[in-house]
Amino acid sequence: MKYGHFSEDGREYIITRPDTPRPWINYLSNEKFCALCSQTGGGHSFYQSSGYDRITIEYPALIVLKDRPGRYVYLRDAETGNYWSPGWQPVRKDLDSFECRHGMGYTTIKSAYQGIETEITYYVPRRDDLELWMVKIKNAGDKPRKLQAFPYAKWSLANYAYNMVENSFANLFNESAVEDDIIFVSTRFWNVTQGGGGGNPNARWDKWAFFTASFKPDGFDCFDEEFVGMYRGWGDPIAVVEGKCRNSCGGGKDICGALQYDFTIEPGQEEKFVVLLGVVSKWEDAKILKSRYDTWEEAAHGLQENRSYWENYISRTMCETSDKDFDLAINYWNKYQAWVTSRWSRMDSYYVGGGSIIGHRDSWQDMLAILPNDLDWARQRVIYMLEHQYPDGSTLHNWDPITNLGVKTGHSDDPMWVLLGTLEYLKESGEMVFLDENVRYYDGGSETVKQHLLRAADYTLAHCSERGIPLIMAADWNDGLDYVGRQGRGESTMVAHHLAWMLRELANCLWFVGSDNLAEKYIAERDKLIRAINEHLWDGEWYIRGTRDDGEAFGSVRNMEGRIYLNAQTWAVLAGSAPRERAIRCMDSVHKHLMTEYGPALFLPAYKEPDPKMGIISRFAPGTKENGTIFNHPVCWAIMAECILGRGDKAYEIYKKASFVSRGKDPDTYKTEPYVYAEYIHGPDSPTFGQGEFTWTTGTAAWMWKVAVEYILGVRPEFRGLLIDPCIPHEWDGFKLRRRFRRATYEIEVSNPEHVCQGVAELIVDGEPWNSHLIPAFSDGKTHEVKVRMGSTENVVPPQELVAQKSLE
Ligand code: GLC
């Protein structure tokens, strides 16, 4: 492979040259401190909130294009004056060798240059809020070398957007100081409003960032004007060129953190040191952290703790199929990406950044892939999310995690995610008493979780058009549809399906806990809604995507652009709102009109001219963002829909087309990281069709993992137990899956001797034949063996859950 490959065991991605087609990054994070780290050590860090507790800088114009700045260690030969970057950037001298390994929670960059071998491992310890750079420098030559090392970081403290927009003014509040060989920096000005609106907050940042190392420094700099120098860049900073820091320090200026270390290494010998960059509320804490991590052994111990965390997390769900690419995504990288999105929502990436946003709908979805792997964390998340609902059932759309302030936009899908996320939690945990727990509302008061759910359903039921279809209002899952329903008349087919789906799941939950009357009420609403959907939204070969305020349909055969939308079809299947014949027909239309070599497009054709009656969706350049791309998040729902229809070959074909492993095999077209999903792939109307964009922070991470495990491998939780209903490509001989479920471990082994896509002929649980697809929740802390033979289903009876999921009206 041209730029890199997965390690043999799948746990690492090994990049073999520094000039990847885009920065290929990793997230190093302990859930509070977060460092984005590229293959050259590029990237920035923040604490809790990338908008308001920023630590190091990210320049929008430089980040993707140049991957600068970063967490750099310059090396200089003190005798010749020659200097280089062992991570290639920012000096970019030709290295004799280069390798970057991204792993779970760490990144290691190794290189060689003129007889000096360097290895830097970056990670964030589980327990403390700092990043560590473990630097090993070896003299591979045959004569002693006098060298100098200059670790360097560029600050942007507290409010990132304000620092960007009001840079010179913001610098006036900077302060820096050095004590006990530690550089301390802070700002006396802290506003927690985007871009700095809100006047003078009369408050200082309540934290200090610090920068130090295990060596005794021979110099330092806190001013970029001194370290980098005038009319220069990071590629040739004056302090490195001349081999001397100026010991600059003080306030009111543009600040950096730079250290100088002069040392000699004998042939064959190694020099090792640790660089610490972190955040504390008082200086004393930084001194404690320095004493905790400033030996190599202690830093290595923290790295080991970090690895144990990940091994433990990763091991909870493991599969073995005949497709190694599938396995390495499910077992490692897709699971890892889903963890990252669950912690950081859409707050920060190389493509989207500087905001400080916990997205309501995003976070409910991001939580889904955590459920089987860390139920306790997911439970806390569910409560946190419910706390952002209003007593009328509506919700905040997004908010900042520090101030807890956010906006209520009126996106019509928001209340539906309250239902989806909470009901999935209940299925996974079986904790039905959770329904009776009181959780507060955002603006005061509290009610039981059950009431939160009923209110979400009632809110959407109360916001329907006269003909009974949910109004789209500010937009729905598709943020781009932001001008179709502002006047309160436009309708959303996707929310209609979403509501139909949730009403079924809510009713199942209510029946399960004995609230039969309520369950009947919601099923009656569902029946009515499904009739309305099929009466008003069917377009002949597919469902329209909705109607606008002026009553015109969009996503209709009558439209020249945006003729057929994916979600309107796939969700008809997920919700069971399409009669079987229509379900097949609309999904066949997806294959016919939307399928590309990279998966089905969100809709086609793209809008070529801005259409004020549609909104921003038509303003994005054709084939980018939401305008006619292969948006990976909805691709997951297409796979799920095919599995519900039992079309395992089609489902897998879509999975393979979209998979980052497949896409990474064509890196010069795809460009972005081959080990995580991108939000979207440029569509056929873009000149760069096939290119990935907006990597890491996408709902694809959770959904692709969930759909692969629960719908392709077909092992999914229901209120009454664990459902086994694989839908695989017919060539597979079978597969194995280990999964936790309600405090027990299930070792599931599936064989497929007849080479079917779907159907269970025989099920054996702990050696005993079992006649239902639904196996019990043992909840006994033990391991249970489940053997499944796929084939005709005569001896295994589908439970009501499965019948309901497949009974298209
Ligand atoms: C982005 C947003 C998500 C939205 C999607 C489609 O991924 O994070 O909330 O649903 O775009 O507009």
Side-chain angles (χ1 to χ4, degrees), residues 45 145 237 252 280 323 332-333 336 431 454 462 482 497 506 520 522 593 610 640 653 679 761:
S45 301
R145 297 283 293 269
V280 286
D323 184 346
Y332 307 115
W333 288 91
Y336 179 56
E431 191 199 353
L454 302 183
D482 61 348
H497 292 319
L506 178 63
E520 305 294 342
Y522 288 113
H593 301 286
M640 188 169 161
E653 183 195 327
E679 184 192 73

Side-chain angles (χ1 to χ4, degrees), residues 7 12-15 99-103 106-110:
S7 62
E12 290 181 326
Y13 194 88
I14 305 170
I15 300 167
E99 179 187 279
C100 167
R101 288 175 177 251
H102 285 315
Y106 66 92
T107 288
T108 298
I109 302 173
K110 265 191 211 176

Side-chain angles (χ1 to χ4, degrees), residues 731-748:
E731 314 95 65
W732 281 15
D733 295 325
F735 64 88
K736 288 185 190 161
L737 175 72
R738 182 173 70 232
R739 186 202 201 278
R740 288 223 190 150
F741 182 56
R742 303 196 195 159
R743 289 182 297 286
T745 301
Y746 293 71
E747 294 279 2
I748 301 162

Side-chain angles (χ1 to χ4, degrees), residues 326-575:
F326 180 88
D327 296 354
L328 74 85
I330 300 312
N331 293 338
Y332 307 115
W333 288 91
N334 188 175
K335 194 191 283 166
Y336 179 56
Q337 182 185 6
W339 185 98
V340 169
T341 55
S342 75
R343 272 32 179 206
W344 297 113
S345 190
R346 305 297 167 270
M347 196 185 281
D348 205 89
S349 78
Y350 256 48
Y351 299 85
V352 198
S356 185
I357 283 192
I358 301 282
H360 174 86
R361 74 156 79 89
D362 295 326
S363 296
W364 276 114
Q365 297 174 76
D366 296 341
M367 187 263 314
L368 298 174
I370 307 304
L371 285 168
N373 300 315
D374 190 350
L375 195 58
D376 294 341
W377 186 89
R379 187 183 196 280
Q380 285 173 27
R381 195 64 166 183
V382 169
I383 295 171
Y384 178 67
M385 299 302 293
L386 289 169
E387 287 171 350
H388 293 84
Q389 193 183 8
Y390 288 91
D392 68 353
S394 64
T395 73
L396 273 188
H397 186 60
N398 54 45
W399 59 90
D400 155 61
I402 295 188
T403 59
N404 209 26
L405 297 175
V407 284
K408 185 176 173 184
T409 52
H411 280 72
S412 50
D413 62 315
D414 276 338
M416 292 293 95
W417 300 107
V418 174
L419 286 159
L420 193 135
T422 311
L423 292 170
E424 289 298 292
Y425 169 74
L426 289 169
K427 287 180 193 172
E428 181 72 44
S429 65
E431 191 199 353
M432 303 315 282
V433 289
F434 183 57
L435 284 170
D436 302 322
E437 200 160 295
N438 263 300
V439 174
R440 64 170 182 258
Y441 287 110
Y442 181 67
D443 59 350
S446 72
E447 273 188 310
T448 61
V449 170
K450 183 173 170 186
Q451 284 302 327
H452 278 256
L453 297 185
L454 302 183
R455 290 193 188 279
D458 292 344
Y459 183 88
T460 307
L461 283 167
H463 287 77
C464 287
S465 62
E466 274 170 20
R467 53 188 199 165
I469 305 294
L471 298 170
I472 190 164
M473 306 192 284
D476 59 17
W477 170 88
N478 192 327
D479 284 326
L481 296 169
D482 61 348
Y483 271 84
V484 297
R486 290 214 172 192
Q487 291 157 25
R489 287 189 295 278
E491 299 162 317
S492 166
T493 304
M494 184 173 176
V495 177
H497 292 319
H498 201 162
L499 178 61
W501 182 11
M502 290 304 105
L503 291 175
R504 182 183 77 201
E505 299 307 302
L506 178 63
N508 284 342
C509 172
L510 293 167
W511 270 314
F512 187 61
V513 296
S515 299
D516 293 12
N517 290 345
L518 273 173
E520 305 294 342
K521 171 185 147 190
Y522 288 113
I523 280 297
E525 292 288 0
R526 170 179 157 91
D527 292 344
K528 201 162 86 189
L529 174 62
I530 287 179
R531 278 197 300 278
I533 290 173
N534 283 297
E535 195 180 328
H536 303 301
L537 306 177
W538 182 251
D539 203 35
E541 293 295 321
W542 60 78
Y543 290 93
I544 60 168
R545 180 61 173 79
T547 56
R548 306 186 312 205
D549 282 328
D550 63 5
E552 288 293 315
F554 61 98
S556 158
V557 71
R558 292 185 296 280
N559 301 129
M560 295 308 286
E561 293 170 345
R563 260 180 138 210
I564 165 170
Y565 275 68
L566 182 59
N567 292 338
Q569 324 315 324
T570 53
W571 280 62
V573 181
L574 311 193

